[in-house]
Amino acid sequence: MIAKERVFTFDNSKALLIFLVVLGHFVDYYTDISRNMQVLFFFIYIFHMPLFIFIAGLFSKSTINKSPFRIDRVLTFLLLYFILEIVLYLMLHVWFGSESYDLTMFSEDGVSWFMFAMAAWLCIGYFLNQFKPKYVLIGTTVLALLVGYDKEVGDFLVASRIIVYLPFFMAGYYTNPQKLAGFLQKKSVRITSGIILLLTIAFIYFNIDLIYGLRPLLSGRNAYVVAGLPVMGGFIRLGLMIVTTIVSLAVMAIMPNKKTWYTVIGVRSLQVYFLHRFILFIYQHYHLNDYLAKISPNHWLEIYLCFAAILTLLLSWKGFGWILIKIQSISYVRFKKPEKVASQ
């Protein structure tokens, strides 16, 4: 898309989503001791990754439709995956001395899963684009519902997440960005979306004790039996997918379709995703919240969560993008001037 046609709704949505990715990982450390953290976690995880994946699909057309297929994009994400796996292993196992983190490479439950899944979705999208969209969306949705009944499908090759989130990726691929942005910017849609988000937050807040048991279904990696739903899991996942779709549309609708000070965060969201876990692991390893609790015993948790916003902003600095640009230059196979991965 040329600059004058750029739809800033999606860049701004990605800026919010990458902040929620970082915030969600910050929050996860304290869901066991705080009901408010459970509420925040549940609200974030009900839509943030499906919407992120939908937007990734939305702008995957230049890769999937290209002839010949842009295999360099696939290789870039695979390289990012393996590099992240190795560096995290060196940090946690060697530097921190943790025995709980193994270098399994092809069985992943940590943050690097998204890189492997993106490579898979691009390849799957290339294969599926020869079929009619309605059949693809129905088929991938049915598969996403059925996969939870097989407890053997899990983290190996990120299979469960790839299958569960595939309908969102393909829905994005089939969607016209300009038409979607035009619909989202309607005043009636924006007002309705604001009401939907307020009602969703209120429902989660007042019913968190009842619904928090569904947490295993929000990650896309667990079988229904893990949530104690060996029979009804598929029906509940279908309900969650509907809620996720509605909330995701509402979130995009409230985002401005103009360039803002935080638009650049969305443009560079991949580098924030790639780097943030290293900082958070260091923060937790050295128990820095113990110092916060001494300084501000009543508000340390709120201050801690503010660090998520600061970290998101800092990691969006252009200088950090050279890592991803360098990795793409390695996987570059066709074009003389590869695009910057950091701007995806």
Side-chain angles (χ1 to χ4, degrees), residues 192-208:
T192 303
S193 296
I195 295 172
I196 288 173
L197 291 175
L198 289 175
L199 290 176
T200 302
I201 294 170
F203 177 83
I204 294 174
Y205 180 81
F206 290 110
N207 295 277
I208 190 62

Side-chain angles (χ1 to χ4, degrees), residues 211-227:
I211 64 176
Y212 193 68
L214 299 178
R215 170 177 169 154
L217 300 186
L218 300 183
S219 67
R221 58 181 287 261
N222 295 304
Y224 299 138
V225 68
V226 176

Side-chain angles (χ1 to χ4, degrees), residues 1-2 4-7 9-10 58-59 61 175-185 257:
M1 296 173 61
I2 59 178
K4 67 179 181 180
E5 295 178 341
R6 193 174 188 95
V7 182
T9 294
F10 305 116
L58 196 66
F59 296 102
K61 298 174 182 62
T175 299
N176 182 297
Q178 286 80 12
K179 289 183 178 179
L180 176 59
F183 168 75
L184 295 172
Q185 292 304 307
N257 189 19

Side-chain angles (χ1 to χ4, degrees), residues 81-91 101 103 105:
Y81 170 77
F82 287 116
I83 291 171
L84 198 54
E85 279 286 280
I86 293 170
V87 176
L88 282 175
Y89 173 79
L90 292 175
M91 170 181 278
Y101 192 91
L103 188 63
M105 284 299 188

Side-chain angles (χ1 to χ4, degrees), residues 54-334:
F54 170 83
I55 295 176
L58 196 66
F59 296 102
S60 67
K61 298 174 182 62
S62 62
T63 299
I64 293 175
N65 296 344
K66 194 74 174 180
S67 181
F69 178 54
R70 290 290 306 277
I71 192 66
D72 59 306
R73 293 291 182 92
V74 175
L75 294 177
T76 293
F77 282 109
L78 288 177
L79 273 173
L80 288 172
Y81 170 77
F82 287 116
I83 291 171
L84 198 54
E85 279 286 280
I86 293 170
V87 176
L88 282 175
Y89 173 79
L90 292 175
M91 170 181 278
L92 298 176
H93 193 81
V94 179
W95 181 6
F96 293 168
S98 173
E99 298 294 333
S100 61
Y101 192 91
D102 295 322
L103 188 63
T104 53
M105 284 299 188
F106 294 106
S107 184
E108 178 53 44
D109 62 352
V111 68
S112 54
W113 73 268
F114 178 72
M115 308 298 178
F116 191 94
M118 270 301 304
W121 288 322
L122 290 173
C123 294
I124 294 171
Y126 179 72
F127 170 75
L128 292 179
N129 72 353
Q130 61 186 299
F131 302 103
K132 292 184 177 181
K134 65 178 180 179
Y135 297 135
V136 171
L137 293 177
I138 292 172
T140 55
T141 299
V142 170
L143 189 59
L145 299 177
L146 293 178
V147 71
Y149 288 108
D150 187 351
K151 62 181 181 181
E152 299 302 320
V153 180
D155 296 326
F156 183 68
L157 296 180
V158 198
S160 183
R161 278 169 161 151
I162 290 173
I163 295 171
V164 169
Y165 292 133
L166 181 59
F168 295 99
F169 181 85
M170 295 308 302
Y173 169 73
Y174 291 126
T175 299
N176 182 297
Q178 286 80 12
K179 289 183 178 179
L180 176 59
F183 168 75
L184 295 172
Q185 292 304 307
K186 293 180 180 179
K187 186 176 180 180
S188 59
V189 174
R190 291 170 65 86
I191 293 173
T192 303
S193 296
I195 295 172
I196 288 173
L197 291 175
L198 289 175
L199 290 176
T200 302
I201 294 170
F203 177 83
I204 294 174
Y205 180 81
F206 290 110
N207 295 277
I208 190 62
D209 295 332
L210 178 65
I211 64 176
Y212 193 68
L214 299 178
R215 170 177 169 154
L217 300 186
L218 300 183
S219 67
R221 58 181 287 261
N222 295 304
Y224 299 138
V225 68
V226 176
L229 300 165
V231 178
M232 295 301 295
F235 299 97
I236 294 176
R237 171 164 284 165
L238 178 60
L240 286 172
M241 291 177 74
I242 294 172
V243 171
T244 295
T245 301
I246 294 172
V247 173
S248 295
L249 288 171
V251 168
M252 288 190 291
I254 66 171
M255 302 306 296
N257 189 19
K258 62 181 181 180
K259 192 171 184 178
T260 67
W261 65 267
Y262 54 84
T263 299
V264 68
I265 299 176
V267 174
R268 300 170 183 168
S269 58
L270 188 58
Q271 68 188 56
V272 179
Y273 186 94
F274 186 82
L275 296 170
H276 79 279
R277 255 307 188 180
F278 299 113
I279 309 301
L280 183 54
F281 279 142
I282 293 172
Y283 187 98
Q284 294 294 338
H285 177 73
Y286 290 107
H287 305 287
L288 298 185
N289 273 340
D290 293 345
Y291 299 99
L292 272 185
K294 292 178 181 178
I295 297 171
S296 181
N298 296 324
H299 301 289
W300 67 269
L301 193 52
E302 291 85 347
I303 298 173
Y304 162 73
L305 295 183
C306 287
F307 287 161
I310 296 171
L311 181 61
T312 303
L313 183 60
L314 290 176
L315 292 182
S316 66
W317 175 55
K318 184 178 181 179
F320 289 122
W322 74 267
I323 300 173
L324 305 189
I325 296 171
K326 189 67 175 179
I327 292 171
Q328 186 181 32
S329 69
I330 297 173
S331 59
Y332 159 74
V333 293
R334 182 175 175 82

